[in-house]
Amino acid sequence: MSAHRFTSARNGRATMRIGCGAGFAGDRVPPAVELLERGDLDVLVLECLAERTIALGQRRRLKDPGQGYDPRLRARLTALLPEAARQGVPIISNMGAANPRAAGLAARALADELGLNDLRVAVVTGDDVLDQIDVQAPALEDGRPLADHGPIISANAYLGADALLPALAAGADVILTGRVADPSLFLAPLAYGLGWDLADWPRVAAGTLVGHLLECAGQITGGYFADPGHKDVPDLANLGFPYADVAADGTAVIGKPPGTGGLVTRATVREQLLYEITDPTAYLTPDVVLDLRGVTVHEQRPDNVLVRGAAGRPRPGTLKVSVGYHAGHRAEAEISYAGPNARRRAELAGQIVADRLAPTGLRLRTDVTGTEECRLRVAALTPSPGRADDVCFEVEALYTNGPAGGGGVRTTVTDVVGIVSTLLPREAVTPRTEILETAHETA
């Protein structure tokens, strides 16, 4: 691996360019490759962890101790590592999910397969606080004790940028984490590369704003923004992913590789700016209390938007903890009706199922789509797989026990993971960093 590109920023470079190559676990890989190859990046971040993702990973880990990390890790890194190594661009990602160390071992083995034997993989852990939470503590969402929601599956604290600094200081080429706050994945390399103190609240606020804008990848380049006839976006099939040029004072310019689809405008940036923000005067993160009221967004030229003006106050004394619990089993069953009077037959079928299941006390949802070709969908959340099967059986029985002409039944029963949140004192959470240098050393 060649020397990191972003270390030059610590030697007086005016700006750093940080890119986002994934905004969720199911994101596309080709735009990330294109961003790396053509984006002239200093750092690439892959943000792949949603609230339920880590709880689902924890269930996989319980079945197999070697699993629990992002199942697409190998595919993403196979596509990105050779070029990242050639350019000296470090990759930072929360693809470790519920098992960062297993993810690190998988990445280390893959690097050896690719002939990248000197690649340094860092694993950041400490976010798993399942053994530390009080299950009688109130959930932030409804005030009920955590245990009242259902059997607890996982509890992961949102680590901040400080948790990643040891790995950056160690010169890691790939940093894999579990639950780290999305903006913190971006703030950490910016703070390290530009020499920011994490108690410099204006700069930490600026870096957090950059992370918030980039974290959803294609959303800010027009993907989630597009609405034909109202908000038209060109060439969405070839949507490009974003980067930010960040100056030492925190001023940032959002852009994307030239020639890619999508667009970066004042409108796309402002829409992403407000995405998931509950209180624009006090957006709580592990690194800073972010105040967005003074943020300005200026479109300088096509696909080039200047953002500045974030303010910050000292970080909270607590860390948010995402708690996953088993919420039950979801039954989903569908059947089609076609021809004259199809919609009324489909509606009658839904009423028949509701009447037949009324004694069970289950709350059903029935939907009918279409007119001459209709699809009835019946869904319910049940406490057991057997009760879920009852819903599916009643829909299947409509073949001969309901209105005429039903067909194409499809049924599924799935476990449902719910998410609530609580708080832990910051001092109760201890991040740890492990460097994996060669397959031999990690065996």
Side-chain angles (χ1 to χ4, degrees), residues 30 120 166 308:
R120 308 191 82 196
R308 56 169 35 130

Side-chain angles (χ1 to χ4, degrees), residues 11 17 22 80 83 106 131 161 207 213 234 242-243 256 261 309 329 338 341 346 358 363 377 419 441:
N11 298 321
R17 176 170 287 189
L80 294 168
E83 182 65 18
D131 295 335
L213 290 175
Y243 60 75
K256 67 181 185 68
H329 303 266
N341 211 32
R363 296 178 59 186
R377 175 182 177 270
I419 296 293
E441 290 178 28

Side-chain angles (χ1 to χ4, degrees), residues 92-398:
I92 300 172
S93 179
N94 51 16
M95 284 191 289
N99 201 344
R101 193 170 194 278
L105 293 173
R108 178 62 268 164
L110 174 61
D112 288 342
E113 288 179 32
L114 297 173
L116 304 173
N117 305 97
D118 60 344
L119 195 92
R120 308 191 82 196
V121 177
V123 174
V124 178
T125 58
D127 61 298
D128 188 338
V129 292
L130 184 59
D131 295 335
Q132 295 160 255
I133 61 165
D134 177 3
V135 296
Q136 297 305 315
L140 298 180
E141 289 77 6
D142 58 14
R144 294 165 51 207
L146 298 174
D148 285 4
H149 294 81
I152 303 298
I153 299 170
S154 63
N156 295 82
Y158 286 75
L159 303 181
D162 55 344
L164 278 68
L165 292 184
L168 290 164
D173 306 303
V174 176
I175 301 175
L176 295 171
T177 77
R179 180 77 277 174
V180 171
D182 298 350
S184 304
L185 295 169
F186 299 82
L187 172 62
L190 290 173
Y192 182 77
L194 294 169
W196 294 346
D197 187 324
L198 288 182
D200 185 339
W201 307 121
R203 283 179 171 78
V204 171
T208 299
L209 173 61
V210 170
H212 173 67
L213 290 175
L214 294 183
E215 67 189 36
C216 295
Q219 285 192 190
I220 200 172
T221 56
Y224 201 65
F225 174 86
D227 189 0
H230 301 283
K231 298 183 295 181
D232 292 315
V233 177
D235 198 16
L236 272 172
N238 299 301
L239 184 70
F241 280 0
Y243 60 75
D245 290 322
V246 186
D249 66 356
T251 301
V253 175
I254 310 297
K256 67 181 185 68
T260 57
L263 76 175
V264 179
T265 67
R266 186 169 183 265
T268 68
V269 173
R270 291 177 71 192
E271 191 168 291
Q272 178 63 27
L273 178 66
L274 297 177
Y275 180 74
E276 294 184 335
I277 296 292
T278 52
D279 182 353
T281 72
Y283 180 49
L284 302 180
T285 81
D287 306 300
V288 68
V289 177
L290 180 62
D291 186 339
L292 300 173
R293 287 175 294 179
V295 173
T296 61
V297 180
H298 176 64
E299 192 170 332
Q300 301 184 126
R301 57 182 183 275
D303 298 324
N304 186 282
V305 177
L306 176 68
V307 181
R308 56 169 35 130
R313 301 193 295 278
R315 66 187 191 179
T318 55
L319 294 178
K320 180 180 176 181
V321 178
S322 182
V323 180
Y325 65 94
H326 187 242
H329 303 266
R330 180 183 294 115
E332 294 182 87
E334 299 178 357
I335 185 171
S336 292
Y337 294 87
N341 211 32
R343 187 169 186 89
R344 290 187 64 185
R345 284 184 282 128
E347 291 169 347
L348 175 58
Q351 187 59 54
I352 291 170
V353 173
D355 290 345
R356 289 174 177 165
L357 289 170
T360 68
L362 293 176
R363 296 178 59 186
L364 301 183
R365 172 169 177 161
T366 61
D367 300 285
V368 176
T369 57
T371 52
E372 293 185 1
E373 295 183 5
C374 298
R375 189 76 171 167
L376 167 68
R377 175 182 177 270
V378 179
L381 184 63
T382 71
S384 68
R387 298 285 292 278
D389 286 339
D390 291 342
V391 176
C392 296
F393 290 156
E394 288 295 354
V395 173
E396 187 174 8
L398 291 169

Side-chain angles (χ1 to χ4, degrees), residues 47-69:
E47 198 290 287
C48 298
L49 197 58
E51 283 71 22
R52 283 180 175 81
T53 317
I54 201 162
L56 295 171
Q58 182 65 22
R59 291 204 312 191
R60 295 196 305 273
R61 183 182 185 180
L62 291 173
K63 294 179 181 178
D64 181 350
Q67 296 300 314
Y69 57 88

